[in-house]
Structure formats: C-alpha cells, structure tokens
Amino acid sequence: QVQLVESGGGLVQAGGSLRLSCAASGRTFGNLAMGWFRQAPGKEREFVAAINWSGGNPYYAESVEGRFTISKDNAKNTVYLQMNSLKPEDTAVYYCAADLGSHSDLAVAYDYWGQGTQVTVSS
C-alpha cells in the first residue's frame, strides 16, 4: 500500500505561482513513478505531468508545458509540482498518483491516489 497526501493548494491571482507537494509513505518511494492530474468542476480528470521512478524523463500536458515543472525527491519521499504563470483555467482539484510501473499520462495506469488539493486561480 501507498499513502499519498497532497498539500500546497490555495487561492492565487492569475500570473502567480504555487508549489504543490505530495508526500508518500508505505512503500519504497524510489520504485514509484509519479503523476499529477487535475479535475475541474463538471469536467473529467485530466493528466498534468508525470515523472519516472528515478526522477527523470518528465513530461507534461500541452496545456501546462513551459509553465509547470514536476520533480521527485526520493530522499524526502515527495513529488512536487511547481506551477508558474497560473491561469484561471488551471483552477481544479489537483491529485498526485503513484504508478508501480512506468510513468504514464493515463489515469488508469496509476495504482494509488491522494485525496487532492484545491487550486483556485482568480482573474
């Protein structure tokens, strides 16, 4: 089992920044690929970013490319999502997820999920 706890969400003005954190416990974090997803009201959950078990090969949804950065600190059992130049359309609940296999942009590939943290971007 893996437990994931997100933090760092909040209210920010358009153009601002936030850094989300996801702390993991319960399994060797260094073996896990990690991803971030988000879900806005009335919309399906969508992929944001993913990173492999070693913290390499990050990739992003086109909508956040160049603005968001995913990183993984195996020593701290934590994955981060640095979000810059935020837009109102980034408003959503953000979830981190752990994948026992290779990282993916498909939600069904992930084995464990956190409870989510709300990010609200005002215009």
Side-chain angles (χ1 to χ4, degrees), residues 3 14 17 48 57 61 63 68 100 107 113:
Q3 292 78 43
S17 298
V48 175
N57 197 22
S63 59
F68 290 11
L100 295 172
W113 292 83

Side-chain angles (χ1 to χ4, degrees), residues 47-51 58-66 68-71 81:
F47 169 74
V48 175
I51 198 163
Y59 68 101
Y60 304 90
E62 189 174 328
S63 59
V64 307
E65 181 82 52
F68 290 11
T69 303
I70 187 172
S71 60
L81 185 69

Side-chain angles (χ1 to χ4, degrees), residues 21 59 72 95-96 116:
S21 300
Y59 68 101
K72 186 174 188 270
Y95 299 89
C96 74

Side-chain angles (χ1 to χ4, degrees), residues 34-118:
M34 300 296 295
W36 286 96
F37 290 77
R38 66 187 182 186
Q39 188 166 18
K43 295 187 177 181
E44 293 188 354
R45 190 169 299 190
E46 65 173 2
F47 169 74
V48 175
I51 198 163
N52 72 10
W53 63 273
S54 68
N57 197 22
Y59 68 101
Y60 304 90
E62 189 174 328
S63 59
V64 307
E65 181 82 52
R67 300 188 297 122
F68 290 11
T69 303
I70 187 172
S71 60
K72 186 174 188 270
D73 188 336
N74 286 337
K76 295 183 178 180
N77 286 1
T78 302
V79 63
Y80 303 97
L81 185 69
Q82 178 66 44
M83 306 186 295
N84 298 330
S85 302
L86 282 161
K87 305 175 181 180
E89 51 263 44
D90 294 319
T91 295
V93 177
Y94 283 71
Y95 299 89
C96 74
D99 185 351
L100 295 172
S102 59
H103 60 327
S104 171
D105 58 0
L106 299 176
V108 294
Y110 288 82
D111 303 283
Y112 302 98
W113 292 83
Q115 294 300 305
T117 185
Q118 176 70 47

